[in-house]
Amino acid sequence: MTVEYQQVNSLAHGVPARRSRPPMGHAALDLIDHARSCLAEAAAAVHATDRFAAAHLAALRAAAAVLAARARPVDARRGRGRRGHGPRNVWELLPGVAPELAEWSAFFGANAGKRAAAQAGLPGAVSPREADDLLRAADTFMGLVCVLLGLPYQEPIDGPVVALVRAPS
């Protein structure tokens, strides 16, 4: 009853009721910070493979933050005797806790192999265009995750991506 009174009382005075978000653990906030660092690293990377790998890692950490904030532990007793349910990756788990991010999950999951190739240093693993596109996508995804988790939204990284377009030598 107290909550209802406070909401009605604040509306009566012309002040909208303050929406509260569920408490978020330090793990989710740390993952968001790491994701932002990876985005900055990707934006500053000179080589396409480094840019691609760092951008994909940023998206991976942002998705892990959603899981850390929203996922609930599975009852170990229920899982006994089930076969074929080994470890699953973040991109498989994300749609279960945030269905609104299912398309993003499929997109980044499809690019996981390219990230592995880029991290392994395989020549021609990704083109500069693919790296730039993935950086922009990871930046957009990061913004969506922040809004979803009720965190401050940061403007996309435009400056460094634009600076990557070089004149032919």
Side-chain angles (χ1 to χ4, degrees):
M1 193 60 122
T2 306
V3 173
E4 291 175 13
Y5 172 74
Q6 288 173 345
Q7 288 177 348
V8 171
N9 190 26
S10 63
L11 287 174
H13 291 31
V15 178
R18 190 173 146 181
R19 284 181 36 194
S20 63
R21 61 180 168 85
M24 192 176 320
H26 290 287
L29 296 174
D30 287 346
L31 285 163
I32 291 293
D33 285 342
H34 285 113
R36 285 183 175 144
S37 295
C38 286
L39 276 178
E41 180 184 329
V46 175
H47 300 288
T49 54
D50 296 336
R51 193 163 49 256
F52 190 95
H56 195 275
L57 186 57
L60 185 64
R61 288 183 171 163
V66 174
L67 293 178
R70 286 192 167 185
R72 299 291 169 245
V74 176
D75 184 2
R77 289 172 281 154
R78 279 186 19 201
R80 286 189 184 144
R82 291 171 44 189
R83 293 182 173 214
H85 289 90
R88 295 171 59 195
N89 71 37
V90 169
W91 304 120
E92 292 172 354
L93 295 171
L94 186 62
V97 297
E100 61 271 34
L101 299 177
E103 288 183 38
W104 286 101
S105 184
F107 171 75
F108 287 113
N111 281 296
K114 281 189 180 187
R115 186 194 88 219
Q119 285 178 315
L122 297 177
V126 295
S127 70
R129 170 75 185 260
E130 288 173 310
D132 292 345
D133 289 347
L134 191 79
L135 174 56
R136 281 187 291 276
D139 199 26
T140 301
F141 179 68
M142 179 70 179
L144 290 171
V145 166
C146 286
V147 169
L148 183 72
L149 297 178
L151 298 172
Y153 174 73
Q154 286 186 310
E155 289 297 317
I157 300 173
D158 284 332
V161 175
V162 173
L164 292 174
V165 179
R166 295 175 186 84
S169 1

